[in-house]
Amino acid sequence: MNKGKYYMTTAIAYTSGKPHIGNSYEIVLADSIARFKRKDGYDVYFQTGTDEHGQKIELKAQETGVTPKEYVDGIAGTIKNLWNLMDTSYDHFIRTTDDYHEKQVQKIFKKLYEQGDIYKGAYEGLYCTPCESFWTESQLVDGKCPDCGREVKPAKEEAYFFKMSKYADRLIAHINSHPEFIQPVSRKNEMMNNFLLPGLQDLCVSRTSFQWGIPVDFDNKHVIYVWLDALTNYITGIGYECGGDSTEQYHKLWPADLHLIGKDIIRFHTIYWPIFLMALGEPLPKQIFGHPWLLQGDGKMSKSKGNVLYADDLVDFFGVDAVRYFVLHEMPFESDGTISWELMVERINSDLANTLGNLVNRTISMSNKYFGGVVADKGWGEDVDKDLKAVAVSAYEKAAAKMEELRVADALTEIFALFKRCNKYIDETEPWVLARDEAKKDRLSTVLYNLVESIIIGASLLEPFMPSTAKKIAGQLNTELRGFDELIEFGKYSSGNEVTKKPEILFARLDVKEVVEKAEAMFEERKKTAGKEQTGDNKDSGQETAQGIDLEPKAEITYDMFDKMQFQVGEIIACEEVQKSKKLLCSQVRIGSQVKQIVSGIKQHYSAEEMVGKKVMVLVNLKPATLAGVVSEGMLLCAEDAEGNLALLTPEKEMPSGAEIC
């Protein structure tokens, strides 16, 4: 059955460094959707790739002593190897340094300029180099970049701008008439209320302060700025020709059926990208899904701490399919998921080793023990069989309904509900008891047949999520995985077939203590390596050396100016997350006999729970300010390393709240 084309993309990975497991989650999520759609009868085209231009990459290349192209070649290779390691089935891997992409981006820029959508001006604002974004003073959080929390610096340069407001009303109308366009709904509400309805500012689309980008071919001191370059990969990668005849493939695949992206770049994909397409006269994608983040359970990932989790690390510990299962199962539809070594071991032991692995092993072992491996349906049915069969033949419909909504974790839950029902069926039928009664030999054979049939139905459904495991199960049952259209009828397993004589363990149970100790040893080794880099043992260590971190000096202040600032020790007695903010925590801080409410952009570094009870250093007499709708009456003092990791400043010795810091 051909249900038509299905063109889907991931965000292209930025080549500033090796992606951690949170980045790798997206490609696995996309792959599970692509595989499911293919098996469900769709003609799928799945594109991913790398975003390879920008100031950050230019600086990284300078630090490592190579050209930007040499630098991105290495990182792009690393990313592609990771995607391949995770058994992803992408059809095309695009790089924004590919010649065909660069040529089309230049044509697109020129077309938009000639039709009046792009104009030349000058930009002045506060610039964050890691994010490559300009901000206004009012957009900052605690005086820092609202996206990454790092320092911003004043910048001014000549630039080209895109007239975003020209298309805003048309985009608002499209979003209102296409409720499926932005998912989940909370992301749509955020874009409408925070950006579109208040009014769009014109967008800077070129830069002159660095060279590593696609040149504006009619004004070569400018390079085309990141989003006009990066976003257009979704059409250049399938044969879009600006101002000419696009390929047959482009006309077949566009508009995209799904852009799968992280929630942090939802604004660029749901506002900038649709407006660019409107200006080009091209249809808009059918759906943009902003998935949540996968967060580390024991604190922020940091290279300097040596605790960054990479997909290949986890594969070394657990295997590819176990990692795929965990990241897919543990990510809620809308809110962030958590990953830790303890959670990984718990999930592998309970779901994979016990529910699935033990089921397959027991069933094959009993088939060998009682019937020499022959699985035959003797037709001895009983009422208890009916529910098992009903669960088995309805599993596809339930899983498909969840996948239609991109609720991948819920689809996996439906599939494992079948495996759990099989385990319950073993408890209900007690094959070991039936085996003692020769008169019930045919009943025992039928029970084992029902189990094998149910398992192969479940394995066939599991294939998009855990492809290698599904194939191993089918191999041990000496059969083939089935298409989805064959899963609505019970009894297709060939009666009289023989299962393997030597079943292999699909997933071994793990000892959490051993895993954590091994992980800690790995992190400790990395920390030593990071330490060597920071103390100058590595020639590419950058600014952070044995002497510390050099900052750009600020203007001198007098003692009288400093004396106006009042610093005291405070004790945090309560803390909560600021709603609708991914950066802010709101703390109630006792300072002597008074309590002040202080909002801080440290949510990525401390949980609300671990803040409570801390003694901290507070700037007490800072003028109150409102951040994300919450009044803040002071400032908590922190230190920040070269990678943006924050640490609260706390007294070295026990000090009472209210003690003066002098």
Side-chain angles (χ1 to χ4, degrees), residues 135-151:
W135 303 99
T136 63
E137 190 77 42
S138 63
Q139 291 173 314
L140 303 182
V141 175
D142 287 346
K144 297 182 180 180
C145 172
D147 275 357
C148 73
R150 292 181 173 90
E151 295 286 345

Side-chain angles (χ1 to χ4, degrees), residues 269-319:
H269 283 77
T270 60
I271 297 178
Y272 299 175
W273 180 225
I275 286 178
F276 292 159
L277 288 167
M278 287 176 177
L280 291 171
E282 297 298 318
L284 304 195
K286 295 178 183 177
Q287 187 173 83
I288 301 166
F289 185 89
H291 64 74
W293 290 340
L294 184 62
L295 304 176
Q296 190 160 325
D298 54 355
K300 186 177 187 285
M301 284 187 259
S302 162
K303 288 182 181 177
S304 60
K305 293 179 182 177
N307 71 340
V308 180
L309 282 175
Y310 298 108
D312 49 349
D313 293 334
L314 296 174
V315 168
D316 288 343
F317 275 76
F318 307 115

Side-chain angles (χ1 to χ4, degrees), residues 271-500:
I271 297 178
Y272 299 175
W273 180 225
I275 286 178
F276 292 159
L277 288 167
M278 287 176 177
L280 291 171
E282 297 298 318
L284 304 195
K286 295 178 183 177
Q287 187 173 83
I288 301 166
F289 185 89
H291 64 74
W293 290 340
L294 184 62
L295 304 176
Q296 190 160 325
D298 54 355
K300 186 177 187 285
M301 284 187 259
S302 162
K303 288 182 181 177
S304 60
K305 293 179 182 177
N307 71 340
V308 180
L309 282 175
Y310 298 108
D312 49 349
D313 293 334
L314 296 174
V315 168
D316 288 343
F317 275 76
F318 307 115
V320 172
D321 274 11
V323 177
R324 285 177 63 107
Y325 177 77
F326 182 87
V327 299
L328 293 173
H329 184 272
E330 293 303 303
M331 287 294 286
F333 177 70
E334 198 164 346
S335 54
D336 296 334
T338 301
I339 186 169
S340 71
W341 298 100
E342 292 83 357
L343 286 172
M344 284 281 296
V345 172
E346 179 185 343
R347 186 60 63 204
I348 288 168
N349 285 346
S350 63
D351 292 5
L352 301 184
N354 191 25
T355 298
L356 176 58
N358 192 39
L359 167 66
V360 174
N361 192 272
R362 289 171 76 192
T363 301
I364 293 174
S365 296
M366 287 189 291
S367 297
N368 279 306
K369 180 178 181 179
Y370 301 134
F371 298 102
V374 176
V375 179
D377 182 7
K378 297 296 185 178
W380 186 335
E382 293 185 1
D383 287 345
V384 71
D385 302 347
K386 294 177 182 177
D387 186 61
L388 174 68
K389 293 179 179 180
V391 171
V393 298
S394 64
Y396 159 70
E397 183 180 355
K398 292 176 180 177
K402 299 300 184 184
M403 290 299 290
E404 190 64 27
E405 299 177 349
L406 303 182
R407 294 181 178 271
V408 176
D410 294 340
L412 270 173
T413 298
E414 294 292 351
I415 296 166
F416 270 75
L418 171 55
F419 296 136
K420 289 177 180 178
R421 186 64 188 85
C422 288
N423 282 311
K424 182 181 178 184
Y425 181 73
I426 293 175
D427 295 337
E428 292 169 335
T429 56
E430 299 181 314
W432 53 92
V433 175
L434 294 173
R436 298 179 199 145
D437 188 345
E438 187 65 25
K440 293 184 177 178
K441 191 172 182 179
D442 284 354
R443 173 59 185 156
L444 174 60
S445 181
T446 302
V447 165
L448 293 174
Y449 177 88
N450 290 342
L451 283 168
V452 169
E453 171 69 0
S454 299
I455 290 169
I456 197 60
I457 289 174
S460 299
L461 280 169
L462 191 62
E463 185 183 16
F465 312 95
M466 302 173 67
S468 177
T469 299
K471 289 170 186 170
K472 286 181 182 178
I473 294 171
Q476 293 193 53
L477 297 180
N478 192 23
T479 188
E480 300 293 328
L481 293 168
R482 299 177 194 168
F484 286 165
D485 57 342
E486 299 178 284
L487 302 184
I488 57 176
E489 182 181 342
F490 197 92
K492 287 185 171 290
Y493 186 81
S494 180
S495 182
N497 196 22
E498 283 189 47
V499 297
T500 184

Side-chain angles (χ1 to χ4, degrees), residues 140-170:
L140 303 182
V141 175
D142 287 346
K144 297 182 180 180
C145 172
D147 275 357
C148 73
R150 292 181 173 90
E151 295 286 345
V152 294
K153 294 181 179 180
K156 181 178 181 180
E157 63 180 278
E158 180 183 273
Y160 286 92
F161 293 84
F162 186 99
K163 296 178 181 177
M164 301 295 287
S165 57
K166 177 179 175 180
Y167 297 92
D169 289 344
R170 186 173 157 193

Side-chain angles (χ1 to χ4, degrees), residues 28 144 173 188 263 297 304 352 373 442 465 471 480 492 499 516 525 527 535 561 581 599 608 624 654 659:
V28 174
K144 297 182 180 180
K188 180 192 81 170
K263 65 178 184 178
S304 60
L352 301 184
D442 284 354
F465 312 95
K471 289 170 186 170
E480 300 293 328
K492 287 185 171 290
V499 297
V516 170
E525 188 60 34
K527 199 171 181 181
T535 56
M561 294 168 68
S581 171
V599 178
E654 181 61 32

